[in-house]
């Protein structure tokens, strides 16, 4: 695990709610009351240019037909499922942002409620772990109709690269999380190139991790972001052609795994 990453300098990245407590008295004594600004956006990370996409048509049009495919390989999925097993407690409430027909949650763990979100109802209806789902374009409307402090965990898998208003989305996630709730953002090097934002398309693996770290830092109240990496074997083909094929998901092999994790207000101590 690696943390304490320094901010990057990029032409696409800017360099410049009162909490309803659900904590018991022992938690309250260990954590100071949050300032009124907690959960609000402190600064914008992206420039206007950094938010642009090559395909300017509405995302609802792009995702209007279902894609019953797997967007990452088995190694990535196994790593992610193990991470969820480690970080998500059973019998809790989970919101799966930008989800699809596939669930990466451990099949043998029971959760109190799993709510899905996405842009294609057919895909979401096929996801066996969802109790119900919401169809919404987060690039047009970042607000959900759930009450504040509704979820113990929010997940976003291989989709953060498509957010044009990530600061507002992370602000909304903060509102939805219970104090001590976790937000896990995972991604690899694959993408729909024409739908990814410019700041992501033109970045490196390192800068993309830094970008997600800064999304967390842009909202007052998240804990220091933790970075988890699981990189493929260094002997894999690194030729320009191989890189291009992997970028578009046309070359088999190990997908690099990245996850950036932070908590609302504080990181709870979980029982083993």
């Amino acid at each position: 695990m690696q943390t304490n990453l320094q901010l990057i300098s990029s032409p696409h990245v800017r360099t410049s709610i009162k909490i309803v407590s659900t904590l018991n008295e022992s938690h309250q004594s260990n954590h100071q009351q949050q300032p009124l600004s907690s959960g609000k956006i402190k600064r914008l990370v992206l420039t206007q240019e950094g938010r642009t996409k090559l395909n300017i048509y509405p995302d609802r049009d792009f995702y209007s037909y279902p894609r019953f495919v797997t967007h990452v390989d088995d190694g990535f999925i196994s790593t992610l499922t193990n991470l969820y097993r480690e970080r998500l407690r059973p019998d809790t409430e989970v919101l799966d942002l930008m989800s699809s027909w596939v669930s990466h949650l451990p099949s043998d763990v029971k959760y109190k409620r799993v709510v899905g979100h996405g842009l294609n109802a057919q895909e979401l209806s096929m996801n066996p772990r969802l109790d119900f789902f919401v169809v919404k374009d987060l690039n047009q409307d970042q607000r959900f109709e759930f009450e504040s402090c509704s979820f113990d965990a929010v997940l976003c898998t291989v989709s953060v690269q498509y957010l044009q208003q990530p600061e507002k989305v992370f602000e909304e996630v903060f509102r939805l999380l219970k104090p001590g709730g976790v937000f896990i953002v995972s991604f690899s090097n694959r993408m729909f190139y024409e739908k990814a934002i410019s700041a992501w398309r033109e970045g490196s693996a390192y800068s993309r991790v830094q970008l997600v770290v800064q999304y967390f830092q842009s909202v007052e109240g998240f804990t220091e972001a933790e970075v988890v990496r699981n990189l493929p074997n260094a002997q894999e083909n690194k030729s320009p052609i191989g890189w291009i094929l992997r970028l578009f998901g046309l070359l088999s092999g190990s997908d690099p795994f990245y996850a950036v994790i932070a908590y609302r207000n504080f990181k709870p101590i979980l029982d083993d």
Side-chain angles (χ1 to χ4, degrees):
M1 297 183 182
Q2 311 222 1
T3 57
N4 301 326
L5 298 179
Q6 298 179 353
L7 301 184
I8 59 173
S9 177
S10 167
H12 301 306
V13 180
R14 294 184 183 273
T15 55
S16 51
I17 16 197
K18 185 177 181 181
I19 293 176
V20 178
S21 178
T22 60
L23 306 178
N24 58 34
E25 291 183 1
S26 61
H27 275 150
Q28 290 179 16
S29 63
N30 292 329
H31 302 281
Q32 298 296 322
Q33 184 177 3
Q34 298 298 312
L36 294 179
S37 61
S38 184
K40 295 298 184 181
I41 296 173
K42 297 186 293 185
R43 64 181 181 87
L44 297 180
V45 175
L46 299 176
T47 64
Q48 201 58 40
E49 181 182 357
R51 304 175 195 275
T52 60
K53 298 184 178 186
L54 295 177
N55 184 334
I56 62 174
Y57 294 102
D59 288 342
R60 278 184 177 270
D61 294 346
F62 185 79
Y63 296 100
S64 60
Y65 62 93
R67 292 177 172 86
F68 295 115
V69 298
T70 303
H71 298 286
V72 282
D73 66 15
D74 291 342
F76 183 103
I77 294 172
S78 176
T79 301
L80 182 60
T81 299
N82 288 335
L83 181 66
Y84 288 163
R85 187 186 305 277
E86 174 189 339
R87 300 300 179 100
L88 306 182
R89 290 169 293 173
D91 296 318
T92 55
E93 297 182 277
V94 179
L95 173 61
D96 190 2
L97 289 182
M98 305 172 82
S99 187
S100 69
W101 67 291
V102 175
S103 174
H104 305 104
L105 293 168
S107 59
D108 58 334
V109 178
K110 181 180 179 181
Y111 300 98
K112 182 176 180 181
R113 178 178 63 147
V114 180
V115 179
H117 154 265
L119 276 173
N120 189 282
Q122 286 181 271
E123 285 189 29
L124 295 170
S125 66
M126 295 292 290
N127 190 319
R129 295 306 299 272
L130 301 183
D131 294 299
F132 66 92
F133 60 81
V134 177
V135 175
K136 174 188 286 290
D137 183 353
L138 287 180
N139 287 331
Q140 297 295 323
D141 178 13
Q142 297 80 40
R143 188 78 172 182
F144 285 93
E145 295 184 2
F146 303 116
E147 294 183 0
S148 298
C149 304
S150 291
F151 296 96
D152 300 280
V154 177
L155 317 174
C156 181
T157 305
V158 295
S159 297
V160 67
Q161 61 267 31
Y162 307 121
L163 293 176
Q164 291 181 287
Q165 303 293 333
E167 304 95 339
K168 292 181 180 180
V169 173
F170 278 57
E171 179 186 38
E172 177 67 355
V173 168
F174 186 96
R175 183 186 72 82
L176 294 175
L177 282 173
K178 301 174 184 177
V182 64
F183 186 19
I184 302 176
V185 180
S186 59
F187 51 93
S188 188
N189 58 357
R190 299 200 202 189
M191 71 186 88
F192 293 123
Y193 192 78
E194 69 274 28
K195 296 302 290 184
I197 62 171
S198 176
W200 194 276
R201 292 195 316 270
E202 299 177 11
S204 64
Y206 176 79
S207 70
R208 291 166 184 165
V209 171
Q210 298 281 54
L211 200 60
V212 180
V213 169
Q214 290 186 70
Y215 292 164
F216 278 109
Q217 292 173 340
S218 73
V219 176
E220 180 72 34
F222 275 117
T223 61
E224 181 179 5
E226 172 190 353
V227 177
V228 177
R229 291 182 176 88
N230 187 2
L231 303 181
N233 192 303
Q235 301 301 317
E236 286 192 1
N237 183 0
K238 291 186 176 181
S239 68
I241 293 178
W243 181 87
I244 293 172
L245 292 176
R246 282 194 299 273
L247 178 67
F248 289 96
L250 300 176
L251 182 67
S252 61
S254 299
D255 290 332
F257 176 91
Y258 305 95
V260 184
I261 306 167
Y263 297 78
R264 172 172 168 165
N265 306 140
F266 64 92
K267 180 178 179 179
I269 299 176
L270 303 179
D271 296 330
D272 294 333

